[in-house]
Amino acid sequence: MKGWYALLGFLLCASVAMATALGDTVSLRDVGHVIWYHLSFGQTQPADLIADRIVWQLRLPRAILAIVVGGGLAIVGTSMQALVRNPLAEPYILGISSGASAGASLFFLGFLPPLISKGLSMPLAAFAGGLLAITIVYAVAGRNSRLSVARLLLAGVAVAALMASVTSFVSLSSPEPDKLRAVLFWLMGSLHNATWAVLPWPTIATLIGFGILFMLARSLDAMLLGEESAHNLGVRVELIKRLLIVLAALVTGSIVAASGAIGFVGLIVPHAVRMVTGVTHRRVLPACFMAGALFLLWADLAARLLLPGEQLPVGIVTALCGVPFFLFLLGRSNYGFGG
Amino acid sequence: MCRALIVFFVLLNGCVREPVRTVTMTDDLGRAVQLEGVPDRLVSLAPSVTELIYAAGGQSKLVGVTTADDYPPDVHHLTRISALPVDFEAILTLDPDLVLASEQVNGPNDAATLAAVHVPTYFVSVANLDDVFRAIRTLGTLLDTEAVAHGNADSLQRAHDRLRLRTQEIEHRPSTLFLISDVTLYSFGHGSYMHELINIAGGRSITADLTTRAPVLTDEFVLAQQPDIIVGSFGADFKPEHLLLHHPTWDVLGAVESGRVYALEASYFLRPGPRLVEGAWQLARVLHPDLEP
């Protein structure tokens, strides 16, 4: 197992290096120069200023945001799958991402008042939207004590469509066309807004989410056996369920406020990871975080290199990979948590 | 014999002067448009088309324009209809005998719906400045206002030629970025008329080689291209700080450092119509402030 973590860690470092180095606007020599200048805390010869802005202010924060967003969505996916005991659950499919993007765009267009600082109000609005969406979905799907998968997925699709309509409606009725274009970003999901200033909130929320989920790893394992068994094992099922919902909304909300609604990371990654690690959450969670980060780094690299100089939302790439995968899982007669 | 001649002439006359003259014209999409007589109730489906109709001298025949129209100021007296999406019912209540549309704005499917209720649609396509002059003259023929149309097209062409003469000798052509909006970086890509405007204004467009027609640029692309000048259709209340707020890494760009970021009025650049010529002059004055008028 240790070998796998080491491999993932190595791949992650290599991919960050690639994400900062690839692209035909800056030569590899200049990239190395910029990195060396910053790693030596400005003790060496400063690099070309344009190269510095591109590598240090645009590509590096974007790579780190990809790690935070990919890792965060993957662990939220894992926790949602434990919550509903179904490996098809995922923040995007359950409508959390759409709810969060509705909240974020309502705030962006000025329909919601800024409560605290502007930097924090946006994630807060996204959190509220995500929480509202998952609460509705969960309440509809789990009405008669037993959670129905069909109802869960249908409710997720319905709420996602509703939230996307809210976003579209407010943006189309907005008098400012420039803002309309910006709102498209929350619907499609993109990492192009990454700056160092954007990073703190999603990073903090994802770290908190990871910490709490890791502490709850044993309870999550027990939840997979069924609520009754978990209860018999001494797990406070109702409390854990609520905590998981709030955590999912918190992490997804902070992520969506920074990157828009990027789908299917939380679906593909836990699946692939479980094939290697088995279902024990103490192993699944860290591996999921790293694999999710890796997946989004590569997806974003593909999005960047497919249309050089132009923006291609990474959400398109993840959906192109994720939807066939989802349909494949749905088509298999006995999908489950096995390998 | 005499009576026979009279009858003959009456018959001949009847043949020559049919009650309506059916003409078939081919529009810029290559569609055959059948018109009964000279149209005199026009609906325009795009602001650029409205401006072309005015330039062709057909304004007295206009009965409806789009909700986005604002030029010339006269259009405020006309009935407004929604063009995106097209409000077909509102068009029908105006009882037009011809709807004029723009290839750059409207879809050919809109014409199919109008054809089903026997309203002909004529598409105008303006992809470069020559198209502007040509479209004005064609509309003059279509609307039977050729004298005015040719006069206006000629004077626009003279203004265009004068600018080309002024700038063709310029040695240093500043690299220029034209942005449609300042938050999301919409710009003009492959095959756009914007590169021609920048070219005759004495500059060099940095987005001419992009493969898509309506690209959204990345901050990195702009940094790597290092434009000497950034011009945007940002409107009058634009502040250069606003650009840096959304694109903080651009502080090292030559255009930003030397304060060569300019906001121009959008309708001179985003409407493929007669005012593109004035737009080119505005660009030229920004790129080369000491240019002779």
Side-chain angles (χ1 to χ4, degrees), chain A residues 119-305:
Chain A
L120 197 52
S121 295
M122 180 90 86
L124 210 61
F127 165 61
L131 193 60
L132 180 70
I134 184 64
T135 310
I136 297 172
V137 170
Y138 197 75
V140 171
R143 268 178 62 111
N144 348 327
S145 68
R146 214 178 152 275
L147 207 60
S148 142
V149 178
R151 246 191 306 196
L152 188 77
L153 295 181
L154 284 174
V157 169
V159 168
L162 175 75
M163 292 299 181
S165 309
V166 170
T167 312
S168 303
F169 176 75
V170 295
S171 46
L172 280 173
S173 55
S174 156
E176 293 163 78
D178 201 35
K179 288 197 164 182
L180 170 79
R181 297 186 187 113
V183 165
L184 270 180
F185 151 84
W186 276 293
L187 289 173
M188 312 259 268
S190 165
L191 298 172
H192 78 268
N193 269 8
T195 56
W196 293 111
V198 166
L199 282 173
W201 292 119
T203 310
I204 290 170
T206 301
L207 287 179
I208 291 175
F210 182 80
I212 296 180
L213 286 176
F214 196 70
M215 285 194 288
L216 292 177
R218 270 176 192 287
S219 310
L220 290 174
D221 292 343
M223 295 280 286
L224 287 184
L225 300 171
E227 286 181 19
E228 237 179 73
S229 315
H231 185 76
N232 291 339
L233 287 170
V235 176
R236 296 170 69 183
V237 175
E238 285 309 311
L239 180 72
I240 299 261
K241 275 158 69 177
R242 285 196 192 122
L243 194 60
L244 288 182
I245 287 179
V246 173
L247 265 184
L250 175 76
V251 176
T252 313
S254 315
I255 285 175
V256 165
S259 71
I262 297 173
F264 300 99
V265 181
L267 178 80
I268 302 178
V269 173
H271 258 278
V273 165
R274 277 195 211 98
M275 288 183 192
V276 175
T277 62
V279 291
T280 329
H281 281 93
R282 201 165 271 278
R283 287 178 180 180
V284 170
L285 284 167
C288 259
F289 184 89
M290 289 198 271
L294 208 55
F295 173 66
L296 200 61
L297 265 171
W298 281 91
D300 189 47
L301 200 60
R304 260 180 49 200
L305 298 180

Side-chain angles (χ1 to χ4, degrees), chain A residues 25 53 59 178 310-311, chain B residues 181 186 212 216-217 220 251:
Chain A
T25 52
R53 291 298 186 273
R59 288 186 188 167
D178 201 35
E310 301 176 34
Q311 289 175 15
Chain B
S181 55
Y186 277 87
T212 48
V216 182
L217 306 179
E220 179 174 331
D251 56 344

Side-chain angles (χ1 to χ4, degrees), chain A residues 22-26 48-50 53-54 57-59 62 178 181-182 184 195 304 307-311, chain B residues 180-186 210-212 215-221 223-224 226 248-249 251-253:
Chain A
L22 281 186
D24 51 8
T25 52
V26 184
D48 172 48
L49 271 179
I50 299 279
R53 291 298 186 273
I54 291 178
Q57 309 278 356
L58 292 173
R59 288 186 188 167
R62 184 165 173 156
D178 201 35
R181 297 186 187 113
L184 270 180
T195 56
R304 260 180 49 200
L307 270 182
E310 301 176 34
Q311 289 175 15
Chain B
I180 297 174
S181 55
D182 58 349
V183 181
T184 309
L185 301 175
Y186 277 87
L210 291 174
T211 46
T212 48
V216 182
L217 306 179
T218 59
D219 289 18
E220 179 174 331
F221 172 81
L223 274 168
Q226 303 192 38
T249 53
D251 56 344
V252 294
L253 280 180

